[in-house]
Amino acid sequence: MTTPPQSHDKILIIDFGSQVTQLIARRVREEGVYSEIVPFQKAEEAFRAMNPKAVILSGGPASVLDANAPLAPASIYTAGVPVLGICYGEQAMAHQLGGKVEGGHHREFGRAEVTVTEDTPLFEGVWEKGQKYPVWMSHGDRVTKLPDGFRAVGTSPNAPIAMIADEKRKFYATQFHLEVVHTPHGAALLRNFVRKIVGLKGDWTMRAFRQEAIEKIRKQVGKGKVICGLSGGVDSAVAAVLIHEAIGEQLTCVFVDHGLLRMGEAEKVVALFRGHYNIPLVHVEAGDIFLKELHGVDDPEQKRKIIGRLFIEVFEREAKKIGGADFLAQGTLYPDVIESVSFTGGPSVTIKSHHNVGGLPERMNMQLVEPLRELFKDEVRALGRELGLPDVFVGRHPFPGPGLAIRCPGAITREKLDILRLADEIYIEEIRRAGLYDDIWQAFAVILPVKTVGVMGDGRTYEFVVGLRAVNSTDGMTADFYPFEMKFIGHVATRIINEVKGVNRVVYDVTSKPPGTIEWE
């Protein structure tokens, strides 16, 4: 659990394991209200610590009919705060409050239609009684008997009690997912819950966050020294600028050029931090060290561990050179926190998953400073703009800490990295030229661990295959491929094959990506 801002209204989201729980938090935050996700096992403690104005129960894969089914703490139903249940959350609410949930009926997954049978504040100004609306369902069990005090306010073909309401206690629930884009009016229904039912005005802004974060950093660090590892990505850059604004010269940034960066990456980072912000920066050119240890390694997890270990070793060495550091700063985001503390119960000291160095060794004797751990990716970009970072930098596509190592499946060689850098540069250049860069969440090239026979001119070739990926995403957890016109893909492929020696084939990935698999490895 993060440390919630004390001066703002808050909503607690209890996570029962849905893949889209993060979208609930995002929808609430879009209303200017701070929201936080906690796994159901830790909900009792979080509820007491957070003192939220409302609670939302997420979906999940379990059945309330199971012997050890995950449930919400009974105390939330007697605390006098509004509660909204979504999908499994509806079933949990009904089950815990005396209703009945049954299995064995027709399942309902994907697009469905609900009919509004009664008016309720949840639907006000959005849905009308007697009308049908498209929604997204994902359930096997269904509520068959209402708890006392509730009334059914909507139905669907496979869920006769698809929406329920107890206006007196301000308890509401829907069998469908409000938070996904496949429920077109879902965000508006959530807005009604947050604004009209809970009565929150929405006072959580990036300007407010900036000031509060600065005070937190100053309070945590005091007169201590902070070392911040820059990866060349947006997260670490925003964290560094925010921390520098808070403590000035107490911060030293270490930019490790591990030889796995994109073309021109090092020069851009050094120019921004030394030239534009005048932040103390140590530029460590360590490519030879990293590539030597990665030689012959093809397992992606082993690559990550090697890179993470070497990062730590570099930080330790540089910290000693500046006379020691009391704190290590990093750009951990809220999705990283959720990933660490959810059902795995992972340690809170784990380095963000993009860096994946497995936590801080005890010998480092440093505390972590993670000023962005309450934010989603788009909120980090908004904070970067609030801090004055140039949009060309803030708007850059995400780049993982291990860099091109995870975009080079199989063994890593200098030849393959040089091929990949140039192919990626051409791809991104053409995306920018077409005016599509800001429409895409992330685009990048991959060099595949295979060679194919081809014919170029009058000769046969045996060269590498380059894969291209471009995806749209809201939070970096799930993604859909970007629908380029084939003419564009053909043009990019032709340029890469003609200009990048060692490539004779280009493919475009059109798969959608479930959580955690936006990168290629």
Side-chain angles (χ1 to χ4, degrees):
M1 192 177 152
T2 65
T3 303
Q6 299 302 315
S7 60
H8 299 287
D9 294 327
K10 299 173 279 288
I11 288 181
L12 177 67
I13 299 165
I14 299 178
D15 183 18
F16 293 118
S18 169
Q19 292 191 46
V20 292
T21 299
Q22 287 198 41
L23 295 181
I24 304 173
R26 293 186 53 76
R27 296 287 178 262
V28 173
R29 291 188 181 193
E30 285 168 3
E31 297 305 313
V33 174
Y34 180 78
S35 60
E36 188 166 301
I37 299 168
V38 297
F40 71 91
Q41 304 99 317
K42 302 182 180 181
E44 183 86 55
E45 175 189 354
F47 184 75
R48 290 196 302 268
M50 193 173 176
N51 191 27
K53 297 293 186 181
V55 173
I56 298 177
L57 311 178
S58 85
S63 169
V64 296
L65 305 175
D66 295 339
N68 298 309
L71 298 172
S75 58
I76 72 163
Y77 298 116
T78 58
V81 300
V83 181
L84 173 65
I86 297 175
C87 193
Y88 179 87
E90 181 195 50
Q91 297 168 12
M93 180 187 290
H95 176 74
Q96 290 184 266
L97 296 179
K100 186 175 182 180
V101 177
E102 295 181 357
H105 299 279
H106 288 295
R107 297 180 300 172
E108 200 169 25
F109 292 95
R111 289 180 175 83
E113 214 173 45
V114 295
T115 301
V116 175
T117 57
E118 300 288 343
D119 290 325
T120 170
L122 189 65
F123 305 153
E124 186 179 331
V126 182
W127 282 356
E128 296 181 5
K129 181 178 177 179
Q131 298 299 309
K132 294 183 177 182
Y133 299 95
V135 297
W136 189 262
M137 291 283 194
S138 180
H139 68 98
D141 299 343
R142 67 190 190 189
V143 178
T144 56
K145 179 185 174 184
L146 288 169
D148 290 342
F150 281 83
R151 62 193 180 102
V153 294
T155 185
S156 77
N158 289 317
I161 304 177
M163 296 172 277
I164 61 176
D166 178 344
E167 275 89 0
K168 185 177 181 180
R169 289 183 286 182
K170 295 186 177 180
F171 291 173
Y172 299 85
T174 69
Q175 186 57 72
F176 57 88
H177 284 275
L178 293 167
E179 67 274 32
V180 300
V181 296
H182 305 84
T183 299
H185 302 100
L189 297 175
L190 268 170
R191 183 179 306 120
N192 275 351
F193 179 74
V194 172
R195 296 299 182 96
K196 296 181 179 180
I197 295 170
V198 186
L200 303 183
K201 296 180 180 179
D203 61 352
W204 199 66
T205 65
M206 279 303 106
R207 178 165 294 182
F209 177 87
R210 173 185 181 179
Q211 295 305 317
E212 291 168 3
I214 287 171
E215 291 305 314
K216 283 183 184 179
I217 294 166
R218 288 172 179 166
K219 184 177 180 180
Q220 180 186 5
V221 171
K223 297 183 181 298
K225 291 183 179 180
V226 180
I227 188 171
C228 178
L230 293 178
S231 67
V234 175
D235 305 340
S236 61
V238 172
V241 173
L242 179 65
I243 294 169
H244 185 256
E245 185 168 309
I247 61 173
E249 298 300 308
Q250 292 170 246
L251 169 70
T252 299
C253 290
V254 176
F255 174 50
V256 180
D257 184 350
H258 48 26
L260 302 165
L261 299 171
R262 293 171 289 196
M263 188 172 289
E265 189 80 41
E267 293 80 3
K268 292 174 185 176
V269 172
V270 171
L272 178 70
F273 283 86
R274 282 185 181 162
H276 189 79
Y277 282 100
N278 197 29
I279 296 176
L281 174 67
V282 177
H283 178 197
V284 184
E285 297 185 37
D288 290 342
I289 298 172
F290 279 79
L291 293 181
K292 181 180 179 180
E293 294 228 16
L294 289 168
H295 178 73
V297 177
D298 58 7
D299 178 72
E301 195 59 31
Q302 190 177 354
K303 290 179 187 177
R304 284 177 176 268
K305 289 179 179 179
I306 290 171
I307 293 168
R309 173 175 57 80
L310 291 176
F311 261 116
I312 286 295
E313 291 176 3
V314 171
F315 289 146
E316 284 185 292
R317 186 171 65 248
E318 296 305 323
K320 290 177 182 177
K321 288 180 180 179
I322 65 172
D326 308 290
F327 299 88
L328 173 64
Q330 61 180 21
T332 305
L333 303 192
Y334 194 43
D336 304 318
V337 176
I338 296 169
E339 183 179 307
S340 295
V341 303
S342 61
F343 296 99
T344 63
S348 60
V349 297
T350 298
I351 290 280
K352 67 179 297 189
S353 58
H354 287 349
H355 289 199
N356 200 36
V357 299
L360 292 179
E362 290 184 9
R363 67 177 186 275
M364 289 191 72
N365 195 30
M366 283 193 272
Q367 297 181 49
L368 288 175
V369 179
E370 299 172 309
L372 310 182
R373 64 185 282 116
E374 297 168 4
L375 303 183
F376 287 100
K377 188 76 174 188
D378 62 316
E379 293 171 327
V380 173
R381 296 189 194 281
L383 176 60
R385 295 184 178 97
E386 174 70 27
L387 289 165
L389 273 161
D391 199 63
V392 67
F393 198 89
V394 175
R396 299 174 76 199
H397 292 176
F399 188 63
L404 300 182
I406 59 174
R407 296 177 182 177
C408 185
I412 296 172
T413 66
R414 290 184 187 274
E415 177 198 11
K416 289 168 70 176
L417 290 173
D418 289 341
I419 289 172
L420 179 54
R421 282 193 191 92
L422 183 53
D424 187 75
E425 181 75 6
I426 291 170
Y427 183 35
I428 299 302
E429 180 182 288
E430 289 298 333
I431 288 175
R432 288 188 182 279
R433 187 173 293 168
L436 301 174
Y437 189 83
D438 292 337
D439 296 335
I440 298 169
W441 166 268
Q442 186 181 35
F444 56 88
V446 177
I447 184 166
L448 302 181
V450 295
K451 287 187 174 183
T452 62
V453 175
V455 176
M456 299 180 71
D458 295 323
R460 289 167 62 86
T461 62
Y462 184 60
E463 296 177 327
F464 286 104
V465 178
V466 164
L468 305 178
R469 173 170 288 170
V471 296
N472 276 335
S473 177
T474 303
D475 51 21
M477 290 297 290
T478 58
D480 270 332
F481 70 90
Y482 186 82
F484 286 121
E485 293 183 2
M486 289 309 299
K487 182 178 180 181
F488 174 84
I489 293 295
H491 174 65
V492 173
T494 298
R495 273 203 64 189
I496 291 174
I497 291 170
N498 285 341
E499 298 177 32
V500 183
K501 186 177 180 181
V503 177
N504 67 5
R505 188 158 300 174
V506 175
V507 297
Y508 181 60
D509 179 13
V510 294
T511 54
S512 298
K513 311 312 295 178
T517 58
I518 289 179
E519 285 293 344
W520 192 290
E521 61 177 18

